[in-house]
Amino acid sequence: MAKRILSGVKPSADMMHLGNWFGAVRQFVELQETEDNYIFIADFHALTTVHDAGLLRSYAREIALEYLACGLDPQRTVLWRQSDVPEVCELTWLLSCATPMALLERAHAYKAASAEGAEVSMGLFCYPVLMAADILAYQADLVPVGEDQVQHIEMTRDMAEKFNRQCGSEVLKLPAHRVNQAVARVPGLDGRKMSKSYGNTLGLFEPDGALKKKVMRIVTDSTPLGTPLDPETCHVFALHKLFGGAALDELRDDYVHGRIGYGESKKRLLPRILEGLAPIRERYEQLRQDLDYVEDVLRDGAARARLVARATLDACRLAAGFADPPRR
Ligand code: TYM
């Protein structure tokens, strides 16, 4: 039987980057072939960092467009905006009451923000509970993500278990994560995880010239030309690896025999990125001409997603001790 797949991307920047594509969205596209795919735009989550209404709206629409450009097919994937299904907020409350604060205090994102001395909103602190509600509302079996989200899925399981135990009823299904280990942590221009918040990204839809400048900025050491290079520690090589193929073996050979310098390796990387992303970038340009279609897809997806979330919420309300579901 097909598995229920659930995942999302947070619209907190103007476009997705290579980390989102290789770590997550490519998996979504592959899974729609055989599984029951539910993919959404996590705009409630983006509100933890984006506080400009116009920007939030445009970032969210942009992710929708990009999902479609990446190959998600509305016939095979339910696609919607998180904020169009308010049931997740009510479920967040029910789960909050089964979630120890100590669990949330262990969340990496919260710990990093407080270590930096940033002001932590309740939204950021409760981020994992909203994420659990997203996953549990849709009775997901499997959540495809990059490595940085695994802790959230483990916390989701903890919350679901506790809620079920408190209610004495198995209303919530425990999900598993799915990480593609080869691309679990795509590095950025500086070798740290590629991330919007580190400003080290290569955007999927950036103009060729901007991508070229960024590729030339990838951080390398000062090994002189003619000296062997270590492919395992080189940030440029790590990005080449994403695209695989015979060219990669050739490049590895050139590295270990000192036949290539970092500049040349960067020059070879750019066309590989452009070629690898060409179909997605072309579809993106076509879809941009028909934004009404994108809105239609989201409206239809929200209606379908909402039915599932409503049924889960009704069951949870009853299990937790509330009266029959409110009339609507
Ligand atoms: P977000 O928007 O930060 O990232 C979206 C997806 O991309 C993956 N990813 C990466 N994978 C490999 N290497 C990288 N450098 C890299 N950067 C990002 C992420 O792991 C993620 O899978 N909290 C989530 C959104 C969310 C969600 C959910 C996800 C909200 N509710 C429910 C799954 C299920 C987030 O901010 O992802």
Side-chain angles (χ1 to χ4, degrees):
M1 210 173 84
K3 290 201 172 76
R4 170 70 51 84
I5 306 297
L6 182 291
S7 200
V9 174
K10 185 172 60 180
S12 53
D14 58 348
M15 73 179 80
M16 290 201 245
H17 53 72
L18 284 185
N20 298 135
W21 165 243
F22 282 102
V25 181
R26 198 174 58 165
Q27 293 193 70
F28 308 167
V29 176
E30 284 162 9
L31 287 163
Q32 75 181 346
E33 298 301 325
T34 49
E35 311 299 342
D36 183 23
N37 236 21
Y38 278 65
I39 304 295
F40 70 101
I41 300 156
D43 56 346
F44 273 150
H45 279 105
L47 190 61
T48 56
T49 52
V50 183
H51 299 123
D52 174 309
L55 268 188
L56 184 57
R57 241 187 305 276
S58 86
Y59 288 172
R61 198 193 51 202
E62 190 59 28
I63 299 276
L65 188 56
E66 297 183 5
Y67 273 156
L68 294 168
C70 284
L72 285 180
D73 169 3
Q75 302 301 322
R76 286 179 290 174
T77 293
V78 180
L79 212 60
W80 76 102
R81 229 179 336 236
Q82 183 185 31
S83 59
D84 286 340
V85 183
E87 281 77 3
V88 293
C89 294
E90 192 174 338
L91 186 57
T92 300
W93 176 249
L94 300 190
L95 291 171
S96 299
C97 297
T99 308
M101 273 180 60
L103 179 73
L104 300 180
E105 279 162 356
R106 288 200 291 275
H108 301 319
Y110 163 70
K111 283 202 324 203
S114 29
E116 278 169 17
E119 189 184 271
V120 176
S121 66
M122 278 303 289
L124 181 63
F125 186 66
C126 296
Y127 188 111
V129 192
L130 176 59
M131 191 158 155
D134 289 330
I135 298 168
L136 299 170
Y138 301 99
Q139 306 283 349
D141 296 301
L142 215 53
V143 186
V145 284
E147 185 184 77
D148 60 346
Q149 297 299 318
V150 170
Q151 186 195 34
H152 286 142
I153 322 274
E154 286 165 352
M155 292 170 110
T156 298
R157 292 174 63 89
D158 290 345
M159 289 179 222
E161 234 168 11
K162 181 99 183 287
F163 185 84
N164 285 348
R165 202 167 350 110
Q166 278 182 0
C167 297
S169 164
E170 299 293 306
V171 271
L172 296 173
K173 188 188 270 185
L174 270 53
H177 60 260
R178 180 188 197 267
V179 173
N180 179 348
Q181 282 308 334
V183 284
R185 183 192 164 280
V186 173
L189 304 179
D190 55 1
R192 290 186 292 172
K193 181 191 81 165
M194 188 174 286
S195 164
K196 303 152 204 173
S197 46
Y198 295 152
N200 64 358
T201 60
L202 290 168
L204 291 188
F205 304 95
E206 291 191 67
D208 297 10
L211 275 178
K212 180 176 177 189
K213 276 195 192 137
K214 285 187 164 183
V215 165
M216 295 321 278
R217 264 181 33 215
I218 299 172
V219 177
T220 54
D221 60 30
S222 50
T223 309
L225 259 181
T227 316
L229 302 177
D230 183 354
E232 296 319 315
T233 56
C234 172
H235 305 327
V236 191
F237 194 86
L239 290 165
H240 273 286
K241 263 195 203 165
L242 299 171
F243 298 92
L248 190 66
D249 298 331
E250 206 178 292
L251 185 69
R252 184 179 283 108
D253 220 44
D254 288 346
Y255 262 65
V256 296
H257 292 101
R259 288 197 295 261
I260 191 169
Y262 292 123
E264 174 60 21
S265 179
K266 289 176 182 178
K267 274 194 200 138
R268 287 193 206 171
L269 177 61
L270 183 68
R272 300 193 78 203
I273 297 176
L274 293 176
E275 198 188 313
L277 299 182
I280 297 179
R281 287 160 72 93
E282 278 161 27
R283 262 199 307 269
Y284 176 83
E285 288 306 326
Q286 289 159 10
L287 282 159
R288 245 165 40 129
Q289 311 307 318
D290 196 359
L291 295 178
D292 288 347
Y293 166 72
V294 179
E295 275 307 318
D296 287 349
V297 168
L298 291 181
R299 198 170 313 111
D300 177 58
R304 292 165 68 190
R306 205 161 177 196
L307 285 177
V308 182
R310 188 70 244 176
T312 304
L313 181 61
D314 287 352
C316 289
R317 285 178 57 101
L318 285 174
F322 296 102
D324 285 344
R327 228 179 297 136
R328 47 182 179 269

mmCIF file of all heavy atoms in Angstrom, residues 6-10 17 19-20 23-24 40 42 45 127 131 134-135 143-149 183-186 193-194 196, ligand 1:
data_model
loop_
_atom_site.group_PDB
_atom_site.id
_atom_site.type_symbol
_atom_site.label_atom_id
_atom_site.label_comp_id
_atom_site.label_asym_id
_atom_site.label_seq_id
_atom_site.Cartn_x
_atom_site.Cartn_y
_atom_site.Cartn_z
ATOM 1 N N LEU A 6 4.600 13.307 3.838
ATOM 2 C CA LEU A 6 4.274 14.694 4.212
ATOM 3 C C LEU A 6 5.563 15.466 4.388
ATOM 4 O O LEU A 6 6.481 15.000 5.070
ATOM 5 C CB LEU A 6 3.486 14.662 5.534
ATOM 6 C CG LEU A 6 2.941 15.935 6.202
ATOM 7 C CD1 LEU A 6 4.010 16.849 6.763
ATOM 8 C CD2 LEU A 6 2.007 16.715 5.293
ATOM 9 N N SER A 7 5.653 16.642 3.755
ATOM 10 C CA SER A 7 6.806 17.498 4.038
ATOM 11 C C SER A 7 6.521 18.923 3.569
ATOM 12 O O SER A 7 5.496 19.175 2.924
ATOM 13 C CB SER A 7 8.082 16.958 3.373
ATOM 14 O OG SER A 7 9.212 17.516 4.020
ATOM 15 N N GLY A 8 7.437 19.827 3.917
ATOM 16 C CA GLY A 8 7.227 21.218 3.537
ATOM 17 C C GLY A 8 8.521 22.002 3.504
ATOM 18 O O GLY A 8 9.559 21.546 3.989
ATOM 19 N N VAL A 9 8.425 23.187 2.905
ATOM 20 C CA VAL A 9 9.550 24.132 2.872
ATOM 21 C C VAL A 9 9.026 25.449 3.433
ATOM 22 O O VAL A 9 7.899 25.850 3.143
ATOM 23 C CB VAL A 9 10.070 24.323 1.422
ATOM 24 C CG1 VAL A 9 11.135 25.415 1.369
ATOM 25 C CG2 VAL A 9 10.615 23.009 0.861
ATOM 26 N N LYS A 10 9.877 26.106 4.214
ATOM 27 C CA LYS A 10 9.473 27.371 4.856
ATOM 28 C C LYS A 10 9.807 28.535 3.921
ATOM 29 O O LYS A 10 10.957 28.655 3.494
ATOM 30 C CB LYS A 10 10.276 27.487 6.162
ATOM 31 C CG LYS A 10 9.937 28.650 7.022
ATOM 32 C CD LYS A 10 10.651 28.545 8.350
ATOM 33 C CE LYS A 10 12.156 28.509 8.164
ATOM 34 N NZ LYS A 10 12.913 28.406 9.389
ATOM 35 N N HIS A 17 17.108 26.971 -2.480
ATOM 36 C CA HIS A 17 18.514 26.829 -2.850
ATOM 37 C C HIS A 17 18.848 25.353 -3.119
ATOM 38 O O HIS A 17 17.996 24.464 -2.951
ATOM 39 C CB HIS A 17 19.411 27.439 -1.771
ATOM 40 C CG HIS A 17 19.154 26.935 -0.381
ATOM 41 N ND1 HIS A 17 19.499 25.674 0.030
ATOM 42 C CD2 HIS A 17 18.575 27.528 0.695
ATOM 43 C CE1 HIS A 17 19.153 25.503 1.295
ATOM 44 N NE2 HIS A 17 18.581 26.619 1.728
ATOM 45 N N GLY A 19 20.454 23.250 -1.470
ATOM 46 C CA GLY A 19 20.248 22.381 -0.297
ATOM 47 C C GLY A 19 18.802 21.907 -0.221
ATOM 48 O O GLY A 19 18.536 20.721 0.026
ATOM 49 N N ASN A 20 17.862 22.821 -0.469
ATOM 50 C CA ASN A 20 16.439 22.436 -0.444
ATOM 51 C C ASN A 20 16.144 21.411 -1.540
ATOM 52 O O ASN A 20 15.416 20.448 -1.320
ATOM 53 C CB ASN A 20 15.531 23.653 -0.684
ATOM 54 C CG ASN A 20 15.653 24.735 0.365
ATOM 55 O OD1 ASN A 20 15.736 25.916 0.049
ATOM 56 N ND2 ASN A 20 15.693 24.344 1.635
ATOM 57 N N GLY A 23 18.407 18.066 -0.845
ATOM 58 C CA GLY A 23 18.106 17.455 0.445
ATOM 59 C C GLY A 23 16.653 17.040 0.588
ATOM 60 O O GLY A 23 16.346 16.048 1.252
ATOM 61 N N ALA A 24 15.747 17.793 -0.048
ATOM 62 C CA ALA A 24 14.337 17.541 0.226
ATOM 63 C C ALA A 24 13.476 17.434 -1.039
ATOM 64 O O ALA A 24 12.885 16.386 -1.304
ATOM 65 C CB ALA A 24 13.801 18.651 1.139
ATOM 66 N N PHE A 40 3.516 20.835 1.450
ATOM 67 C CA PHE A 40 2.935 22.161 1.710
ATOM 68 C C PHE A 40 3.989 23.254 1.843
ATOM 69 O O PHE A 40 5.185 22.983 1.903
ATOM 70 C CB PHE A 40 2.045 22.104 2.957
ATOM 71 C CG PHE A 40 2.812 21.934 4.235
ATOM 72 C CD1 PHE A 40 3.050 23.020 5.056
ATOM 73 C CD2 PHE A 40 3.296 20.700 4.614
ATOM 74 C CE1 PHE A 40 3.751 22.880 6.236
ATOM 75 C CE2 PHE A 40 4.013 20.551 5.791
ATOM 76 C CZ PHE A 40 4.244 21.639 6.600
ATOM 77 N N ALA A 42 5.268 26.069 4.264
ATOM 78 C CA ALA A 42 5.176 26.283 5.715
ATOM 79 C C ALA A 42 5.206 27.782 6.056
ATOM 80 O O ALA A 42 6.136 28.286 6.680
ATOM 81 C CB ALA A 42 6.309 25.533 6.413
ATOM 82 N N HIS A 45 5.216 28.842 9.774
ATOM 83 C CA HIS A 45 6.566 28.758 10.343
ATOM 84 C C HIS A 45 7.422 29.953 9.935
ATOM 85 O O HIS A 45 8.236 30.443 10.720
ATOM 86 C CB HIS A 45 7.259 27.460 9.914
ATOM 87 C CG HIS A 45 6.845 26.269 10.723
ATOM 88 N ND1 HIS A 45 5.994 25.304 10.252
ATOM 89 C CD2 HIS A 45 7.164 25.890 11.981
ATOM 90 C CE1 HIS A 45 5.800 24.391 11.192
ATOM 91 N NE2 HIS A 45 6.502 24.721 12.247
ATOM 92 N N TYR A 127 7.925 26.240 17.804
ATOM 93 C CA TYR A 127 8.067 25.823 16.394
ATOM 94 C C TYR A 127 7.943 24.305 16.224
ATOM 95 O O TYR A 127 7.199 23.828 15.358
ATOM 96 C CB TYR A 127 9.442 26.330 15.930
ATOM 97 C CG TYR A 127 9.780 26.197 14.477
ATOM 98 C CD1 TYR A 127 9.883 27.328 13.658
ATOM 99 C CD2 TYR A 127 10.059 24.964 13.904
ATOM 100 C CE1 TYR A 127 10.235 27.211 12.322
ATOM 101 C CE2 TYR A 127 10.407 24.847 12.578
ATOM 102 C CZ TYR A 127 10.494 25.972 11.795
ATOM 103 O OH TYR A 127 10.831 25.858 10.466
ATOM 104 N N MET A 131 5.199 22.124 13.990
ATOM 105 C CA MET A 131 5.692 21.181 12.979
ATOM 106 C C MET A 131 5.123 19.779 13.237
ATOM 107 O O MET A 131 4.739 19.070 12.293
ATOM 108 C CB MET A 131 7.223 21.174 13.000
ATOM 109 C CG MET A 131 7.798 20.446 11.850
ATOM 110 S SD MET A 131 9.487 20.949 11.510
ATOM 111 C CE MET A 131 10.035 19.457 10.689
ATOM 112 N N ASP A 134 1.644 19.732 11.939
ATOM 113 C CA ASP A 134 1.630 19.574 10.469
ATOM 114 C C ASP A 134 1.685 18.110 10.089
ATOM 115 O O ASP A 134 0.966 17.650 9.207
ATOM 116 C CB ASP A 134 2.910 20.168 9.844
ATOM 117 C CG ASP A 134 2.973 21.668 9.894
ATOM 118 O OD1 ASP A 134 1.911 22.298 9.857
ATOM 119 O OD2 ASP A 134 4.102 22.195 9.968
ATOM 120 N N ILE A 135 2.601 17.427 10.734
ATOM 121 C CA ILE A 135 2.864 16.044 10.329
ATOM 122 C C ILE A 135 1.731 15.125 10.791
ATOM 123 O O ILE A 135 1.221 14.302 10.037
ATOM 124 C CB ILE A 135 4.213 15.570 10.920
ATOM 125 C CG1 ILE A 135 5.344 16.442 10.362
ATOM 126 C CG2 ILE A 135 4.452 14.093 10.643
ATOM 127 C CD1 ILE A 135 6.677 16.283 11.066
ATOM 128 N N VAL A 143 8.371 11.223 6.475
ATOM 129 C CA VAL A 143 8.629 12.646 6.275
ATOM 130 C C VAL A 143 10.021 12.814 5.649
ATOM 131 O O VAL A 143 11.033 12.687 6.328
ATOM 132 C CB VAL A 143 8.556 13.399 7.632
ATOM 133 C CG1 VAL A 143 8.665 14.900 7.416
ATOM 134 C CG2 VAL A 143 7.275 13.057 8.370
ATOM 135 N N PRO A 144 10.081 13.069 4.332
ATOM 136 C CA PRO A 144 11.384 13.257 3.687
ATOM 137 C C PRO A 144 11.954 14.641 3.994
ATOM 138 O O PRO A 144 11.292 15.652 3.747
ATOM 139 C CB PRO A 144 11.055 13.126 2.186
ATOM 140 C CG PRO A 144 9.598 13.396 2.061
ATOM 141 C CD PRO A 144 8.948 13.141 3.380
ATOM 142 N N VAL A 145 13.160 14.666 4.527
ATOM 143 C CA VAL A 145 13.783 15.933 4.941
ATOM 144 C C VAL A 145 15.297 15.832 4.824
ATOM 145 O O VAL A 145 15.850 14.746 4.669
ATOM 146 C CB VAL A 145 13.463 16.276 6.420
ATOM 147 C CG1 VAL A 145 12.057 16.788 6.614
ATOM 148 C CG2 VAL A 145 13.739 15.078 7.326
ATOM 149 N N GLY A 146 15.970 16.980 4.976
ATOM 150 C CA GLY A 146 17.415 17.008 5.156
ATOM 151 C C GLY A 146 17.730 16.743 6.627
ATOM 152 O O GLY A 146 16.830 16.749 7.486
ATOM 153 N N GLU A 147 19.021 16.543 6.882
ATOM 154 C CA GLU A 147 19.468 16.148 8.219
ATOM 155 C C GLU A 147 19.024 17.121 9.331
ATOM 156 O O GLU A 147 18.687 16.711 10.432
ATOM 157 C CB GLU A 147 21.000 16.106 8.146
ATOM 158 C CG GLU A 147 21.733 15.614 9.334
ATOM 159 C CD GLU A 147 23.237 15.756 9.064
ATOM 160 O OE1 GLU A 147 23.763 16.885 9.147
ATOM 161 O OE2 GLU A 147 23.841 14.738 8.739
ATOM 162 N N ASP A 148 18.988 18.421 8.989
ATOM 163 C CA ASP A 148 18.704 19.420 10.032
ATOM 164 C C ASP A 148 17.291 19.311 10.614
ATOM 165 O O ASP A 148 17.008 19.903 11.657
ATOM 166 C CB ASP A 148 18.950 20.841 9.489
ATOM 167 C CG ASP A 148 18.077 21.173 8.286
ATOM 168 O OD1 ASP A 148 17.471 20.240 7.709
ATOM 169 O OD2 ASP A 148 17.988 22.351 7.918
ATOM 170 N N GLN A 149 16.409 18.581 9.941
ATOM 171 C CA GLN A 149 15.026 18.495 10.438
ATOM 172 C C GLN A 149 14.745 17.203 11.207
ATOM 173 O O GLN A 149 13.644 17.013 11.732
ATOM 174 C CB GLN A 149 14.029 18.599 9.270
ATOM 175 C CG GLN A 149 14.085 19.929 8.521
ATOM 176 C CD GLN A 149 13.746 21.103 9.420
ATOM 177 O OE1 GLN A 149 12.822 21.051 10.230
ATOM 178 N NE2 GLN A 149 14.512 22.182 9.300
ATOM 179 N N VAL A 183 23.034 13.352 0.427
ATOM 180 C CA VAL A 183 22.810 14.802 0.295
ATOM 181 C C VAL A 183 22.110 15.347 1.534
ATOM 182 O O VAL A 183 21.364 16.323 1.463
ATOM 183 C CB VAL A 183 21.966 15.112 -0.969
ATOM 184 C CG1 VAL A 183 22.793 14.998 -2.223
ATOM 185 C CG2 VAL A 183 20.749 14.199 -1.064
ATOM 186 N N ALA A 184 22.360 14.712 2.670
ATOM 187 C CA ALA A 184 21.643 15.070 3.896
ATOM 188 C C ALA A 184 22.011 16.461 4.395
ATOM 189 O O ALA A 184 21.221 17.124 5.068
ATOM 190 C CB ALA A 184 21.958 14.046 4.982
ATOM 191 N N ARG A 185 23.233 16.905 4.033
ATOM 192 C CA ARG A 185 23.681 18.220 4.496
ATOM 193 C C ARG A 185 24.499 18.852 3.369
ATOM 194 O O ARG A 185 25.720 18.692 3.312
ATOM 195 C CB ARG A 185 24.532 18.067 5.763
ATOM 196 C CG ARG A 185 24.997 19.353 6.377
ATOM 197 C CD ARG A 185 26.069 19.084 7.432
ATOM 198 N NE ARG A 185 26.799 20.287 7.762
ATOM 199 C CZ ARG A 185 27.785 20.795 7.021
ATOM 200 N NH1 ARG A 185 28.157 20.226 5.899
ATOM 201 N NH2 ARG A 185 28.398 21.894 7.403
ATOM 202 N N VAL A 186 23.818 19.517 2.453
ATOM 203 C CA VAL A 186 24.504 20.139 1.319
ATOM 204 C C VAL A 186 25.275 21.355 1.836
ATOM 205 O O VAL A 186 24.695 22.220 2.509
ATOM 206 C CB VAL A 186 23.469 20.569 0.243
ATOM 207 C CG1 VAL A 186 24.123 21.375 -0.857
ATOM 208 C CG2 VAL A 186 22.761 19.343 -0.321
ATOM 209 N N LYS A 193 26.624 24.271 6.488
ATOM 210 C CA LYS A 193 25.390 23.830 5.830
ATOM 211 C C LYS A 193 24.826 24.972 4.980
ATOM 212 O O LYS A 193 24.786 26.116 5.458
ATOM 213 C CB LYS A 193 24.367 23.443 6.915
ATOM 214 C CG LYS A 193 23.059 22.947 6.360
ATOM 215 C CD LYS A 193 21.995 22.841 7.446
ATOM 216 C CE LYS A 193 21.369 24.177 7.751
ATOM 217 N NZ LYS A 193 20.126 24.137 8.501
ATOM 218 N N MET A 194 24.417 24.687 3.757
ATOM 219 C CA MET A 194 23.813 25.734 2.937
ATOM 220 C C MET A 194 22.513 26.167 3.598
ATOM 221 O O MET A 194 21.647 25.349 3.888
ATOM 222 C CB MET A 194 23.539 25.225 1.518
ATOM 223 C CG MET A 194 23.091 26.327 0.579
ATOM 224 S SD MET A 194 22.906 25.812 -1.150
ATOM 225 C CE MET A 194 24.586 25.665 -1.696
ATOM 226 N N LYS A 196 19.686 29.722 4.219
ATOM 227 C CA LYS A 196 19.306 31.116 3.989
ATOM 228 C C LYS A 196 19.901 31.993 5.083
ATOM 229 O O LYS A 196 20.375 33.094 4.851
ATOM 230 C CB LYS A 196 17.777 31.261 4.028
ATOM 231 C CG LYS A 196 17.030 30.378 3.050
ATOM 232 C CD LYS A 196 15.606 30.018 3.539
ATOM 233 C CE LYS A 196 15.105 28.729 2.919
ATOM 234 N NZ LYS A 196 13.857 28.217 3.433
HETATM 235 P P1 TYM B 1 13.456 24.538 5.495
HETATM 236 O O1 TYM B 1 12.579 25.468 4.749
HETATM 237 O O2 TYM B 1 14.571 25.126 6.285
HETATM 238 O O3 TYM B 1 14.085 23.474 4.500
HETATM 239 C C1 TYM B 1 13.265 22.728 3.622
HETATM 240 C C2 TYM B 1 13.871 21.359 3.415
HETATM 241 O O4 TYM B 1 15.184 21.483 2.854
HETATM 242 C C3 TYM B 1 16.124 20.761 3.649
HETATM 243 N N1 TYM B 1 17.417 21.481 3.638
HETATM 244 C C4 TYM B 1 18.597 20.894 3.385
HETATM 245 N N2 TYM B 1 18.917 19.610 3.095
HETATM 246 C C5 TYM B 1 20.233 19.341 2.867
HETATM 247 N N3 TYM B 1 21.212 20.292 2.930
HETATM 248 C C6 TYM B 1 20.930 21.573 3.219
HETATM 249 N N4 TYM B 1 21.897 22.485 3.265
HETATM 250 C C7 TYM B 1 19.562 21.923 3.475
HETATM 251 N N5 TYM B 1 18.933 23.086 3.789
HETATM 252 C C8 TYM B 1 17.615 22.786 3.898
HETATM 253 C C9 TYM B 1 15.530 20.759 5.055
HETATM 254 O O5 TYM B 1 16.069 19.714 5.834
HETATM 255 C C10 TYM B 1 14.051 20.593 4.748
HETATM 256 O O6 TYM B 1 13.737 19.224 4.551
HETATM 257 N N6 TYM B 1 10.823 23.350 9.555
HETATM 258 C C11 TYM B 1 10.961 23.070 8.145
HETATM 259 C C12 TYM B 1 9.659 23.226 7.377
HETATM 260 C C13 TYM B 1 8.546 22.409 7.922
HETATM 261 C C14 TYM B 1 8.375 21.001 7.763
HETATM 262 C C15 TYM B 1 7.173 20.687 8.445
HETATM 263 C C16 TYM B 1 9.140 20.019 7.155
HETATM 264 C C17 TYM B 1 7.488 22.862 8.634
HETATM 265 N N7 TYM B 1 6.655 21.842 8.972
HETATM 266 C C18 TYM B 1 6.704 19.356 8.502
HETATM 267 C C19 TYM B 1 8.672 18.690 7.212
HETATM 268 C C20 TYM B 1 7.478 18.387 7.883
HETATM 269 C C21 TYM B 1 11.979 24.025 7.547
HETATM 270 O O7 TYM B 1 12.165 25.112 8.025
HETATM 271 O O8 TYM B 1 12.583 23.576 6.422
#
